[in-house]
Amino acid sequence: METIKSNAEISSLFTRGKRLHTPYLTFIVVRNEKQHDQAGRAAFIAGKKLGNAVWRNSAKRRMRAVCHELHGPWKGYDVIFLAKSNIVSSSYSKVLAACDDTLKRAGVR
C-alpha cells in the first residue's frame, strides 16, 4: 500500500478534495488521473487534539485495517482517512459498515 507522507501533498489534498463524512471518520477523496494511476494512495491522520499517543496509534491501526478490508487504496484515487473521536470506542463492525457504505455512495469502491 502506497501512503502519502508529504505535508505539501496532504495540504493540497485537503484543499482540492471532496469530504465524505461518517460518524467515525472523514474521508477526503481526490480523483487522480495524471500521476500514480497504477494504484491509489492513502494517508491516515489522527490529530493530537483528539487523544494521546496510545489513542492516535489505535485510531491509525483501525483506519489501516478498514482500508485493507475494503481492498484499498483504490485505483485512481488519493484518499485521506481523518479520525474522529469515537473511532476507537465504537465496534469495528460498525466502523467498517459505515465506511463501506460511504465509499460505495461516493463511487470510490
Side-chain angles (χ1 to χ4, degrees):
M1 171 183 338
E2 186 178 351
T3 58
I4 306 165
K5 295 180 181 171
S6 164
N7 285 338
E9 281 188 282
I10 290 174
S11 295
S12 172
L13 293 175
F14 264 91
T15 58
R16 294 184 301 134
K18 179 181 179 187
R19 291 177 184 257
L20 309 170
H21 300 280
T22 72
Y24 312 105
L25 58 101
T26 298
F27 294 103
I28 300 173
V29 180
V30 176
R31 182 90 171 125
N32 193 354
E33 297 95 9
K34 295 179 184 173
Q35 58 186 4
H36 308 289
D37 57 349
Q38 69 275 9
R41 301 182 304 162
F44 305 95
I45 300 173
K48 286 186 177 181
K49 287 195 290 186
L50 298 176
N52 61 12
V54 173
W55 183 90
R56 291 192 309 270
N57 288 334
S58 294
K60 287 179 187 179
R61 266 196 310 276
R62 185 163 277 202
M63 289 186 290
R64 284 189 207 104
V66 165
C67 183
H68 179 74
E69 192 150 336
L70 296 178
H71 307 291
W74 302 274
K75 184 177 180 175
Y77 289 96
D78 289 341
V79 180
I80 295 177
F81 289 70
L82 187 60
K84 290 185 180 177
S85 61
N86 59 351
I87 189 170
V88 175
S89 61
S90 301
S91 73
Y92 179 73
S93 60
K94 287 182 181 179
V95 174
L96 183 64
C99 292
D100 187 31
D101 182 51
T102 302
L103 290 171
K104 281 182 180 175
R105 280 188 287 120
V108 176
R109 284 204 52 197

